[in-house]
Amino acid sequence: MSVRNFDNEIHTLKDTPFGYTVQLISGKWKMVILYLLAEQEKVRYNRIREYIGTISDKTLTEQLRQMEADGLITRIDRTPTIREYTLTGTGRSLVPIIEELCYWGVDHMSKDS
């Protein structure tokens, strides 16, 4: 879809479908978290932290809260200390886009080396 085909009034990039989407998935670790959740059904908080490796608890918590507020993920509290996260339907709708990014990476990683 082109911005030219968008009927709403545009004041900033955030007013476009592209800007809206980028705002949802931008953030230092959001795409990595989405990728991990796309690969696995449910993932515990500690597993996400281990997978990323260099993320602070504060940053991970902020990213997860933003994604939950935006309707991309759901938090499941198993016990007071065990939290799991899973993609919502909206989050799952991003999986084909994430897969396309992976395919692009496969096609271009070896060419740029």
Side-chain angles (χ1 to χ4, degrees), residues 58-69:
K58 179 183 179 214
T59 300
L60 178 55
T61 298
E62 285 174 3
Q63 297 288 280
L64 291 169
R65 284 182 180 158
Q66 287 174 6
M67 295 170 72
E68 189 176 6

Side-chain angles (χ1 to χ4, degrees), residues 75-88:
R75 184 177 82 190
I76 304 159
D77 292 324
R78 296 285 177 216
T79 69
T81 58
I82 297 176
R83 286 170 274 163
E84 292 180 326
Y85 294 87
T86 187
L87 293 176
T88 62

Side-chain angles (χ1 to χ4, degrees), residues 31-32 34-36 38-39 51 94-110:
M31 288 296 292
V32 175
L34 287 169
Y35 176 83
L36 176 60
E39 290 290 312
Y51 182 79
L94 289 167
V95 171
I97 297 164
I98 294 167
E99 288 175 341
E100 286 300 319
L101 289 170
C102 290
Y103 295 141
W104 187 91
V106 168
D107 289 344
H108 292 86
M109 275 179 69
S110 60

Side-chain angles (χ1 to χ4, degrees), residues 1-3 6 10 13-22:
M1 167 179 220
S2 170
V3 171
F6 187 61
I10 299 172
L13 182 62
K14 286 174 70 173
D15 298 328
T16 67
F18 176 78
Y20 170 76
T21 305
V22 168

